[in-house]
Amino acid sequence: MASQTTAPPADERNIEIKARVGSDEEFTKRVEIAKTLTKSNGEVIVQRDVFFNSQSGRLKLRYLEPPARSQLVYYDRPDVAGPKLSKFNKIEVDEPEVLEKILTQSNGAKGIVAKTRYLFMYERTRVHLDKVEQLGNFMEFEVCLLPEQTIEEGQAVADKLMKEFGIQEADLMTGAYFDEIKS
């Protein structure tokens, strides 16, 4: 009997920007812009991301509150400022504590990022306003690309939202929150 092999699923893709917001007043101002733009009050999510050693990209286990299934997320994106392509895969996890133990034993844990996230959806873009423990206030856009969409189309959406929220070039971050905590 011949074995059948199936192709792995395609990576999900988005165009992402991450920016420093600064003061609590600036954060509140941007939350109000998000409420107006999305015509919603958004959703508040408390997250704790445990990062693990990985041969490439970043590997994290995301614990979510209010109680929800956790997620194992692998992503790879260049550490450059401004809109950039992020390729990722994620899976829901029922027993995150067991998975964290296994990944810590096999790969080694690097550290933890804890944050309160204000999530808004604008068309196919996830607008995140984050209060990150030990770091401060940030925001990011994840412009979720359809398989047929080009990187340029996603970058155009990110550029439009940067103007809408008043994000300046100097506010843009190159890496992940975890990179900022460990430095």
Side-chain angles (χ1 to χ4, degrees), residues 94-107:
D94 289 325
E95 298 181 61
E97 294 84 4
V98 174
L99 182 58
E100 180 180 350
K101 180 179 179 181
I102 291 168
L103 288 171
T104 299
Q105 290 171 330
S106 64
N107 292 28

Side-chain angles (χ1 to χ4, degrees), residues 83-98:
K84 55 196 152 269
L85 177 65
S86 176
K87 294 180 182 178
F88 65 96
N89 292 284
K90 63 183 176 181
I91 188 168
E92 300 282 320
V93 175
D94 289 325
E95 298 181 61
E97 294 84 4
V98 174

Side-chain angles (χ1 to χ4, degrees), residues 19-31 129-131 135-139 171:
R20 291 174 182 80
V21 171
S23 70
D24 288 339
E25 294 78 21
E26 280 297 314
F27 187 88
T28 300
K29 176 181 157 187
R30 295 214 169 98
V31 167
L129 286 125
D130 295 332
K131 290 190 163 287
L135 288 183
N137 301 321
F138 299 86
M139 77 178 308
D171 301 329

Side-chain angles (χ1 to χ4, degrees), residues 145-180:
L145 297 175
L146 295 168
E148 66 274 8
Q149 279 186 297
T150 66
I151 293 169
E152 292 76 21
E153 288 173 302
Q155 287 176 325
V157 173
D159 289 340
K160 174 186 171 207
L161 288 172
M162 285 174 59
K163 288 184 182 97
E164 195 79 37
F165 282 90
I167 295 173
Q168 304 298 311
E169 202 73 26
D171 301 329
L172 296 175
M173 296 177 61
T174 57
Y177 298 141
F178 182 74
D179 300 330
E180 298 286 315

